[in-house]
């Protein structure tokens, strides 16, 4: 079985801090690459048979593709703001330039259709508070199926306040059941905030940064074989080819961020999930739970600067 927990650096290759492709993951559609650029740095991507979204985790960039140029304003880090982003079509060449440097995620999915190169403004990202009480978290739906057009790719950001659980109740999406569940491969990429260094998401994490969280994946009744209980740190990734996944646990003192990237073979681009029946009852308790006053950590800006 492919290793499902990839500590920071374990999937580093070809100039990427993390490179997960369908071949390395042992599946068919979903990719993630984490790119660190020094000040004045540049990177060229051949998109091949996949569509991609370039998402600044920290820093700003300019992107040139298909004869067009976009300016991404980015953000200081993932715990402080929503970011704008760029959609990169399949069968294209894209150049990424960053005057001040930063860390960037390339979320990818193999696809059939070639959609246009275009800009996703931060002001257009729906920010949702999901759950309640100690299961409350923030979801930045920048490339959810409802918020942004793509062929196969679905991607969102989740921010979990210190001490809370997210991806809860545990759920799965490893079967195609029309109207109830879609088969999707999924990648979680983590960053940890808080602590004395507070460097998560800025490309500055060091071995001395002790912030951590925890993530669980376990086999489902659909024949899933995935089984992970991992201590995760900034830069770690977890692959979810099948199975129940959750909770993602933020340790006290350390808010937890993860980027979710998903794609699958189904006819529809939808995020349909099934809760583990053993824990699905938890959702019914949320109306009686108090709101978490720490959420949202931030909201999308009401206006966007020039591109």
């Amino acid at each position: 079985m492919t290793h499902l927990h990839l500590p920071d650096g374990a999937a580093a290759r070809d100039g990427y801090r993390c490179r997960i492709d369908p071949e390395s993951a042992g599946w068919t559609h979903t990719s993630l690459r984490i790119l660190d650029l020094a000040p004045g740095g540049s990177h060229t991507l051949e998109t091949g048979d996949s569509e991609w979204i370039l998402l600044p985790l920290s820093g700003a960039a300019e992107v040139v593709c298909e004869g067009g140029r976009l300016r991404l304003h980015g953000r200081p880090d993932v715990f402080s703001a929503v970011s704008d982003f760029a959609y990169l079509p399949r069968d294209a060449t894209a150049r990424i330039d960053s005057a001040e440097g930063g860390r960037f995620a390339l979320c990818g999915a193999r696809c059939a259709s070639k959609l246009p190169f275009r800009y996703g403004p931060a002001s257009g990202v729906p920010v949702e508070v999901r759950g309640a009480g100690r299961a409350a978290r923030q979801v930045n739906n920048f490339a959810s199926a409802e918020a942004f057009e793509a062929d196969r790719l679905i991607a969102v950001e989740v921010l979990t306040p210190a001490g809370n659980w997210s991806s809860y109740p545990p759920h799965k999406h490893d079967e195609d059941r029309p109207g109830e569940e879609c088969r999707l491969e999924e990648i979680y990429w983590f960053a940890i905030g808080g602590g004395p260094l507070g460097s998560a998401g800025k490309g500055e994490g060091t071995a001395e940064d002790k912030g951590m969280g925890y993530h669980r994946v376990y086999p489902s009744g659909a024949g899933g074989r995935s089984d992970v209980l991992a201590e995760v740190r900034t830069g770690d990734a977890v692959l979810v080819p099948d199975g129940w996944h959750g909770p993602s646990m933020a340790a006290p003192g350390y808010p937890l961020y993860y980027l979710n990237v998903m794609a699958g073979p189904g006819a529809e681009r939808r995020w349909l999930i099934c809760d583990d029946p053993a824990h699905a009852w938890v959702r019914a308790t949320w109306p009686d739970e108090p709101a978490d006053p720490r959420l949202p950590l931030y909201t999308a800006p009401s206006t966007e600067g020039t591109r």
Side-chain angles (χ1 to χ4, degrees):
M1 177 184 284
T2 301
H3 289 292
L4 300 182
H5 175 215
L6 301 172
D8 185 26
R13 57 190 173 96
D14 302 329
Y16 294 100
R17 179 130 187 169
C18 176
R19 178 170 176 167
I20 299 166
D21 295 324
E23 292 77 13
S24 65
W27 55 36
T28 60
H29 281 81
T30 309
S31 297
L32 174 67
R33 302 181 189 182
I34 302 297
L35 175 68
D36 287 341
L37 289 179
S42 182
H43 178 78
T44 299
L45 170 71
E46 300 292 339
T47 63
D49 63 1
S50 297
E51 59 185 347
W52 299 85
I53 284 179
L54 174 66
L55 176 73
L57 301 173
S58 65
E62 287 195 352
V63 190
V64 178
C65 183
E66 303 268 274
R69 179 186 295 269
L70 296 177
R71 165 72 174 171
L72 299 183
H73 304 282
R75 54 187 165 183
D77 61 79
V78 297
F79 292 97
S80 62
V82 176
S83 182
D84 51 359
F85 58 94
Y87 176 89
L88 311 176
R90 61 166 291 161
D91 300 319
T93 300
R95 192 183 77 240
I96 305 160
D97 301 311
S98 182
E100 297 181 357
R103 174 170 287 182
F104 305 91
L106 284 157
C107 311
R110 282 187 172 144
C111 64
S113 299
K114 182 168 182 174
L115 302 178
F117 172 53
R118 64 195 190 277
Y119 180 68
S123 58
V125 175
V127 175
E128 170 191 5
V129 175
R130 191 177 295 169
R134 288 300 179 183
R137 60 275 199 183
Q138 174 175 330
V139 183
N140 299 340
N141 290 295
F142 71 96
S144 68
E146 298 78 18
F148 188 80
E149 183 186 8
D151 187 50
R152 292 283 179 181
L153 180 63
I154 297 172
V156 302
E157 300 178 296
V158 180
L159 297 111
T160 308
N164 283 14
W165 285 20
S166 57
S167 278
Y168 194 77
H171 59 279
K172 72 179 183 75
H173 38 70
D174 55 14
E175 295 181 276
D176 280 318
R177 296 186 297 134
E180 296 185 38
E181 184 178 352
C182 292
R183 185 155 64 94
L184 295 167
E185 309 152 351
E186 185 167 17
I187 301 169
Y188 282 67
W189 184 88
F190 294 91
I192 311 298
L197 298 183
S199 59
K202 298 183 181 178
E204 301 169 0
T206 68
E208 289 73 35
D209 192 342
K210 302 300 184 183
M212 75 291 191
Y214 295 88
H215 186 69
R216 180 73 169 119
V217 185
Y218 56 99
S220 68
R225 54 199 176 95
S226 303
D227 199 345
V228 177
L229 176 57
E231 182 175 291
V232 294
R233 300 179 184 273
T234 296
D236 287 13
V238 171
L239 309 182
V240 185
D242 51 49
W244 307 110
H245 42 290
S248 293
M249 295 167 273
Y254 296 98
L256 177 70
Y257 164 96
Y258 50 88
L259 172 63
N260 284 145
V261 185
M262 292 168 274
E268 290 187 275
R269 176 180 172 249
R270 298 183 69 186
W271 185 69
L272 293 178
I273 65 169
C274 173
D275 287 337
D276 183 341
H279 307 291
W281 65 269
V282 172
R283 287 189 189 273
T285 69
W286 289 348
D288 299 323
E289 289 277 354
D292 190 323
R294 298 171 292 179
L295 291 172
L297 300 180
Y298 51 75
T299 59
S302 58
T303 59
E304 196 74 28
T306 57
R307 290 192 253 163

